Amino acid sequence: MNESKINKLNPDNIILNNEHSVNDKNTWCALVQVYQEFSKESTVHGIKYTTQAKTTVEKLLWLTVVVISLVASSELANKFYKRHESANMRTTVVSNQFPSLRIAVPAFTICQGYLVSAERLEALMNGRTPL
């Protein structure tokens, strides 16, 4: 296999046609470098394999999987946003000056057994310990 096929994404392979090509080459080099660094450090599954796979076919397969996943997640997010937007939900706060003494408290609570000392509970129940 010759080197030109292996290094297709190498920024040095860009042919310089005019003065804009120099800026394009610098931009391309920066983008490739940033993407390679991002993919190396990314925790998103599949991103690192787009640059670290052993063969070009493997890289293209992972790139396809990542792009399809991004498109699918974007479509799902858009669908959920439209569903949320179409739901007629309203929240109205008349006043935030509600006295806390008027909030109903539960008549009893259920605690887990290990949170209460059995001796102290017995003393309280038998009236030996005042509140």
Side-chain angles (χ1 to χ4, degrees):
M1 188 181 281
N2 68 33
E3 285 187 31
S4 65
K5 288 184 180 178
I6 294 173
N7 295 321
K8 284 184 180 177
L9 290 179
N10 189 349
D12 295 329
N13 292 338
I14 297 173
I15 300 171
L16 300 176
N17 295 347
N18 55 31
E19 59 188 58
H20 293 295
S21 295
V22 174
N23 290 336
D24 292 345
K25 181 179 179 183
N26 291 338
T27 304
W28 179 254
C29 288
L31 287 173
V32 168
Q33 183 179 4
V34 166
Y35 181 74
Q36 286 176 344
E37 185 177 332
F38 171 75
S39 67
K40 182 180 177 184
E41 300 295 326
S42 178
T43 58
V44 177
H45 186 71
I47 297 279
K48 77 169 93 177
Y49 300 120
T50 61
T51 58
Q52 295 178 359
K54 292 183 173 90
T55 64
T56 306
V57 173
E58 219 177 327
K59 287 180 185 180
L60 288 174
L61 176 69
W62 277 108
L63 185 63
T64 304
V65 168
V66 168
V67 168
I68 289 172
S69 299
L70 287 173
V71 169
S73 63
S74 298
E75 286 296 318
L76 282 173
N78 189 28
K79 181 179 180 180
F80 290 139
Y81 176 73
K82 285 181 179 177
R83 184 185 300 168
H84 170 73
E85 194 176 51
S86 67
N88 196 5
M89 292 184 285
R90 292 187 191 141
T91 303
T92 305
V93 177
V94 175
S95 172
N96 62 357
Q97 301 297 319
F98 192 77
S100 59
L101 294 175
R102 291 185 55 199
I103 298 174
V105 292
F108 66 93
T109 58
I110 299 174
C111 298
Q112 296 171 344
Y114 62 85
L115 295 177
V116 178
S117 167
E119 293 90 26
R120 293 174 79 187
L121 180 62
E122 272 298 316
L124 181 66
M125 296 296 284
N126 293 331
R128 289 180 279 169
T129 306
L131 290 175

